[in-house]
Amino acid sequence: MDDLLAADYSKLDVLAAGPSSERAALAVRAGELYPAANDDQRRHLHYLLYLLGTDSDPVLLDLLTRLRTARLLEEVVRRGLPVPEPVLDQLIKELGYQPPVIDAAGLSGARRRAKALGTLLKDDDLCGRAALALARIGAREWTVPIARRLFASAGLVHTFLAVALEEMGDPAAVPVLLDWLANGPEQPAWDVHRALVRLTGRSPLLPAPDDIRRVWAALDRTAGPVPEVRDVVPDSPSALRFSVDEGRAWVRVEFDAPSPGPTWPRWDQTLYIGDRARFGVGSGCETCETTLHLLGFGPAEALAGADQVREVLAGLRELTTATVRALEPLLQELETGHYRMLLADLPLERVRTAEQSWWWLRRSETRSAWEGDPDWPGIEHFQVPRAIPGEMPAYGSVVPSQPLDALDPVTVGRYAEAIARGERPAALLLAWAEDRYISAEWPERFVLGVVLDGHHRLAAYAAAGVPARLVLLVQGESGETVEDFVRGYPG
């Protein structure tokens, strides 16, 4: 460990991956070397402390207490660690209200800092960070000033302010947000729309993205939301379109709360079924890898109108308006939006390890120089057994919403017997597509599905080697991409 200052990054990786019993001691040694290290050596030590994670938290806080540098503060903030109040007071005196100090003030939970943070709303460069810090400490007296600041902001600052209002959760912002839609500058209104959905509990359907202002101006907010499935248009026996207005969002993908010290206030997203987070679905960054990782299952939750849904799926051969009406109790539980419903038969295999999954295999096929382990879902799942090759290779994966190892073998067997007789009971999936250009070097497409109903059916199809009948619910423009995938999958 005495060679830490001279170690290159690869050696630090090896050290940090050593026995867990040695990690705390390694962090302490890094902390002892840090004060006398030069800038280059400190970069190495920062990297090691980062690799050691929570084992190095006490060391970082101790170093910050003694050295009080912006670089140490940034790492403490990134981990979401509250800075002791006397240390934070000293940092404010020595560093002023620069971004990591503002973030630390928000993490402090100290309402006494609200006035100083509020004065920063006048600063074009710092107002977004300050608004988020005010939201973190729950200083609702600053809700309306934050909302009014939207009139003089644009771009990323505008998004920071809107997200801060969402995190504040104060309905006092609503009149100002509606005024911004009616009288504010002509600029994208999506962030204000999201804030209004969060703060009012209303989620009106937008005929088109540019209709935000018109729709909110016409909305009767004195009435309660009434979920409605409408605009059903069959395109073929295996594809139709429909819209959900004021959806209950029992099944939804939503942005995570911004992490401490964020560069982007909206980044990672999470799939919820009911009130439980099921899968982290990664960011919308077009050059980042597609990720999907299990957050937890919790108790199984029945679908709305489960018996009726399963009766419809039992022998489904084509999609019609009657199909939508029969599934309407479930469809009302989706998020508001425009959807495609697709009926497809796709072969699926059961995946039990990371090495079997497309998250692993696609790298070995296309990226021989890529290092590091893939971020796979972390759970048994299903996938189509072949990729669609081409300039943008395409991969398909289906993840469960309950653990596959807990399935009832008798039920799986019953479905296997029905499939052997020629029956084709359908499973219901929420699906979407992601087109990525990884590191601006490797184009690829993932088509992803989450099982809403039909785990036993899918297990039976996979065991029998028979293509699984799927009903795919796909929101927005992603619907056409998913349809291209299922229609183009080699038979």
Side-chain angles (χ1 to χ4, degrees), residues 65-371:
T65 299
R66 291 185 286 130
L67 300 180
R68 297 187 299 276
T69 67
R71 179 66 185 84
L72 285 168
L73 180 60
E74 286 173 357
E75 181 61 23
V76 167
V77 164
R78 188 191 66 77
R79 299 183 184 209
L81 301 174
V83 177
E85 284 292 289
V87 178
L88 183 53
D89 286 335
Q90 195 63 31
L91 284 164
I92 292 170
K93 289 180 182 178
E94 295 175 7
L95 302 177
Y97 277 102
Q98 54 179 280
V101 176
I102 296 171
D103 297 330
L107 289 171
S108 72
R111 293 290 300 273
R112 70 183 181 90
R113 303 194 182 278
K115 183 176 181 180
L117 291 169
T119 62
L120 298 176
L121 294 177
K122 299 176 182 178
D123 188 304
D124 291 339
D125 295 325
L126 301 178
C127 64
R129 245 7 198 281
L132 198 53
L134 287 164
R136 289 188 190 280
I137 63 176
R140 286 192 166 190
E141 66 272 23
W142 289 96
T143 295
V144 171
I146 292 171
R148 287 176 176 159
R149 190 65 172 82
L150 287 166
F151 284 83
S153 68
L156 192 59
V157 171
H158 186 87
T159 302
F160 261 101
L161 294 169
V163 170
L165 293 171
E166 294 175 29
E167 295 302 305
M168 190 78 83
D170 186 357
V174 171
V176 185
L177 294 174
L178 293 172
D179 184 39
W180 185 92
L181 290 178
N183 304 302
E186 287 297 325
Q187 64 185 59
W190 186 248
D191 286 312
V192 170
H193 170 73
R194 292 189 67 89
L196 282 167
V197 169
R198 177 86 170 267
L199 295 172
T200 65
R202 301 295 303 272
S203 183
L205 180 67
L206 304 175
D210 293 338
D211 288 330
I212 291 173
R213 289 175 169 83
R214 179 181 63 79
V215 166
W216 280 100
L219 184 67
D220 178 9
R221 293 194 302 113
T222 64
V226 179
E228 181 184 4
V229 178
R230 66 188 202 205
D231 306 329
V232 181
V233 180
D235 292 323
S236 73
S238 59
L240 58 76
R241 288 169 282 150
F242 67 95
S243 298
V244 178
D245 189 11
E246 297 280 14
R248 295 192 181 94
W250 180 75
V251 180
R252 66 194 184 280
V253 175
E254 64 181 48
F255 281 103
D256 296 347
S259 58
T263 301
W264 304 96
R266 300 198 196 277
W267 191 251
D268 287 328
Q269 301 171 87
T270 295
L271 174 95
Y272 288 82
I273 299 178
D275 61 354
R276 293 183 177 272
R278 297 300 175 93
F279 285 93
V281 299
S283 75
C285 171
E286 294 182 354
T287 60
C288 297
E289 284 201 307
T290 293
T291 62
L292 195 69
H293 58 277
L294 179 70
L295 299 174
F297 285 127
E301 298 180 60
L303 293 172
D307 291 341
Q308 180 176 327
V309 167
R310 287 165 186 163
E311 183 178 344
V312 173
L313 297 176
L316 193 61
R317 297 181 181 275
E318 64 176 348
L319 301 179
T320 65
T321 300
T323 308
V324 175
R325 293 307 168 205
L327 294 176
E328 191 163 357
L330 166 71
L331 301 180
Q332 290 176 354
E333 303 295 328
L334 299 174
E335 293 181 279
T336 293
H338 304 284
Y339 289 83
R340 289 181 76 78
M341 181 185 293
L342 305 173
L343 182 63
D345 290 347
L346 285 176
L348 294 177
E349 60 184 9
R350 189 161 170 175
V351 178
R352 290 179 166 84
T353 67
E355 290 79 7
Q356 294 175 290
S357 74
W358 283 128
W359 273 269
W360 188 289
L361 293 173
R362 85 207 200 273
R363 281 190 178 180
S364 63
E365 292 177 356
T366 62
R367 305 179 216 171
S368 58
W370 188 277
E371 296 180 355

